[in-house]
Amino acid sequence: MAVVRVGDVDVAYTRKGRGPVVVLVHGAGVDGRMWQPQVDALADEFTVVAWDEPGAGRSGALPEGFGLADFAHALAAVIEDVGLGPAQVAGLSWGGTVVLELYRWRPDLVRSLLMVDTYAGWKGSLPPVEVAARLSAARRMLAAPREEFDPTLPGLYAAGPPERFAALLDAMTRAVRPETMVAQLALMAEADETDLLPQITVPTLLLWGERDARSPLTVAHAFQDAIPHAKLVVIPEVGHVSNLEDPEAFNAAVRAFCREHA
């Protein structure tokens, strides 16, 4: 584990392997451990970096008033700390919105983008009625007593959580900090990155689960229409957390794209 100090928060990340750098950015309600199958599989060819964003995993507490741009600047600090130049950066769900904000502020650090089952923010990708429903459900979840708090959002998996990662998912669930989820979901609800999409000039892979109920394929197609020359790969029979539901197909798609653009 490595740690970089960003303002008032320590940001932790894992690094494994050698070769061109690939940075993996996790979604809400989890931490960098969600990328375990990718770190292990891709480190034979790439330097694979998975961060714990501020307020998650082994990183320090989320500072008060921390905004989307602050997450992006913290991610930039991690890439600079790795010291291998511009990275191929992948973000899943909320993590993809953070990655887009990174590209807004520091395109010099991005060699290519991998947008995984993500959004241009909820405001940017979902109908207002759906955003309102998600916020209402999040408020109910976050109002539960700590001993009853369950950060698992509905509709994450096509056929339920994958059994082979049950222990990993349970460990991440126990580590979630409610105050971080409050901030993540509030920022996601207000984020709209659609103005940025036509300005993206780096190679972009859109990697989506065919049965993603949280960010359906209509969102992927909107990304494809907006980002010049973006490539869409759909993984059959999986949902929102495609990297854990079918890691073999996921890793093969990531490897092929990152090898092509290394």
Side-chain angles (χ1 to χ4, degrees):
M1 183 185 78
V3 176
V4 59
R5 185 75 173 176
V6 183
D8 295 328
V9 62
D10 288 331
V11 182
Y13 64 92
T14 59
R15 171 179 176 169
K16 184 176 181 180
R18 298 181 65 182
V21 61
V22 178
V23 175
L24 306 173
V25 183
H26 61 81
V30 289
D31 55 53
R33 288 174 290 178
M34 72 161 286
W35 297 111
Q36 180 182 307
Q38 286 67 54
V39 172
D40 292 342
L42 299 172
D44 64 334
E45 187 173 352
F46 302 97
T47 300
V48 187
V49 173
W51 85 332
D52 290 345
E53 71 176 23
R58 301 155 301 176
S59 290
L62 194 66
E64 186 175 351
F66 210 74
L68 184 57
D70 297 307
F71 280 101
H73 292 310
L75 181 56
V78 168
I79 296 173
E80 291 178 324
D81 194 61
V82 172
L84 295 177
Q88 306 200 67
V89 190
L92 188 149
S93 191
W94 149 256
T97 304
V98 173
V99 168
L100 286 174
E101 190 73 0
L102 168 72
Y103 187 81
R104 181 185 299 279
W105 291 99
R106 294 297 307 274
D108 58 300
L109 294 179
V110 180
R111 184 176 301 279
S112 70
L113 290 169
L114 296 87
M115 299 283 95
V116 184
D117 294 284
T118 189
Y119 317 88
W122 283 353
K123 186 176 181 180
S125 291
L126 300 174
V129 65
E130 175 65 17
V131 176
R134 292 188 181 197
L135 280 174
S136 178
R139 291 189 189 101
R140 291 194 299 271
M141 173 186 72
L142 294 163
R146 186 66 180 91
E147 63 274 13
E148 299 175 15
F149 173 65
D150 181 359
T152 306
L153 298 168
L156 291 178
Y157 307 99
E163 290 187 8
R164 59 175 157 166
F165 298 119
L168 173 64
L169 291 168
D170 183 61
M172 288 192 292
T173 295
R174 293 197 307 271
V176 171
R177 307 172 204 176
E179 61 275 13
T180 298
M181 281 205 74
V182 169
Q184 289 170 328
L185 298 181
L187 290 170
M188 183 69 106
E190 289 299 319
D192 184 350
E193 303 283 305
T194 52
D195 68 301
L196 178 67
L197 303 184
Q199 304 174 40
I200 293 173
T201 59
V202 296
T204 302
L205 175 66
L206 309 172
L207 190 51
W208 241 260
E210 179 187 31
R211 295 171 59 188
D212 189 340
R214 291 197 63 81
S215 181
L217 278 173
T218 53
V219 177
H221 291 141
F223 269 84
Q224 190 175 27
D225 290 342
I227 300 174
H229 312 298
K231 177 183 178 182
L232 174 61
V233 172
V234 178
I235 302 177
E237 299 300 319
V238 303
H240 192 61
V241 192
S242 53
N243 73 302
L244 294 181
E245 291 185 86
D246 191 345
E248 292 77 19
F250 185 96
N251 294 346
V254 171
R255 184 185 297 275
F257 177 82
C258 290
R259 181 182 289 166
E260 179 182 358
H261 298 291

